[in-house]
Amino acid sequence: MSNRSYGLSEAEHDYLLKTTVREHPSLAQLRDHTMKMPMARMQIAPEQAQFMQLLINMLGATHCIEVGVFTGYSTLAVALALPADGRIIACDISEEYTAVARTYWEKAGVDYKVDLRLAPAQDTLDALIAAGEREFYDFAFIDADKENYVRYYEQCLTLVRPGGLIAIDNALWDGRVAKDSADEETRAIQAVNSRVGKDHRVECSLVPVGDGLLLARKL
Ligand code: CA
């Protein structure tokens, strides 16, 4: 699903990768590792990771949040793009998947930039808000349980600074968002897409990279 950008043929994707994607060796190794795992489809596409690195650099981001780590590919991509004093708060509940993540963050020598919080993300985000970190963050990436997307979006909107960016993954959800669907995950993604689309607190763009990346920049 999201291992290759939306609508690209295999040949087009290969061309894109070969021509323009500069994947750090640790990212490539982690991608290989994850592709052998049963939940491999949860990993973002390498061109999406590179796009996010470009956004991080354009923002001059130093403080980031990630909601949903899985095996840590996007975390690693962000950590590699951050300056030495940059930090990413990485939220997940899985010991098992984040153990894989940690191995590769260490291999790449960027583990010191990652602050892993093993707890329900909504609790971690509430704790950051309670700790006085409103508008402290430059960038937030949301890629976790879809049912909580609207809540994560609202919490991240509180935490990012004006001009800061929220990126929401799986916005196209393999095309399911464009169909009448009764399933809860699809409806949750449709809900966040609609909310962001009409939200005057942000400017937005749904970019068809990976499985659809919805960008919301706080005004
Ligand atoms: Ca995803």
Side-chain angles (χ1 to χ4, degrees):
M1 172 176 36
S2 52
N3 298 141
R4 166 165 109 203
S5 274
Y6 208 76
L8 287 184
S9 69
E10 199 175 336
E12 289 160 350
H13 187 236
D14 285 347
Y15 172 80
L16 179 158
L17 290 179
K18 194 171 61 187
T19 315
T20 60
V21 173
R22 306 167 193 175
E23 195 178 35
H24 187 281
S26 296
L27 282 172
Q29 287 162 18
L30 175 52
R31 187 153 61 89
D32 281 349
H33 184 133
T34 306
M35 288 308 282
K36 294 175 192 125
M37 296 170 65
M39 300 293 279
R41 66 177 187 86
M42 281 172 58
Q43 182 176 267
I44 66 165
E47 64 272 27
Q48 178 179 338
Q50 183 165 304
F51 178 58
M52 285 166 48
Q53 291 179 316
L54 184 132
L55 295 173
I56 298 280
N57 289 327
M58 287 174 70
L59 282 164
T62 49
H63 294 97
C64 301
I65 297 169
E66 180 173 66
V67 180
V69 173
F70 186 43
T71 58
Y73 186 89
S74 50
T75 332
L76 179 53
V78 170
L80 286 165
L82 286 174
D85 62 345
R87 293 293 179 270
I88 178 168
I89 308 274
C91 309
D92 208 288
I93 50 169
S94 170
E95 292 263 9
E96 186 193 346
Y97 290 136
T98 57
V100 175
R102 270 197 284 236
T103 309
Y104 286 87
W105 300 339
E106 281 165 27
K107 269 190 193 173
V110 294
D111 52 306
Y112 71 95
K113 296 182 194 173
V114 184
D115 181 350
L116 177 65
R117 307 280 179 99
L118 279 175
Q122 52 199 353
D123 296 347
T124 300
L125 298 175
D126 275 342
L128 297 177
I129 294 166
E133 298 191 349
R134 283 168 188 261
E135 303 200 332
F136 179 67
Y137 293 87
D138 306 297
F139 179 81
F141 179 51
I142 302 173
D143 185 15
D145 48 314
K146 310 310 173 203
E147 290 83 350
N148 282 312
Y149 260 25
V150 167
R151 180 190 287 244
Y152 296 147
Y153 168 68
E154 286 298 332
Q155 291 176 304
C156 288
L157 196 55
T158 301
L159 289 162
V160 299
R161 63 170 168 87
L165 192 69
I166 301 171
I168 303 172
D169 198 39
N170 302 105
L172 291 170
W173 201 226
D174 209 20
R176 273 170 280 170
V177 288
K179 296 172 188 151
D180 283 331
S181 174
D183 92 85
E184 210 179 322
E185 286 183 302
T186 304
R187 278 188 284 130
I189 296 170
Q190 288 169 330
V192 83
N193 287 343
S194 301
R195 174 174 295 231
V196 173
K198 294 193 207 92
D199 193 341
H200 295 299
R201 297 170 295 174
V202 298
E203 59 175 330
C204 71
S205 179
L206 200 173
V207 184
V209 64
D211 190 30
L213 186 66
L214 177 59
L215 301 179
R217 179 178 171 270
K218 184 167 174 172
L219 296 172

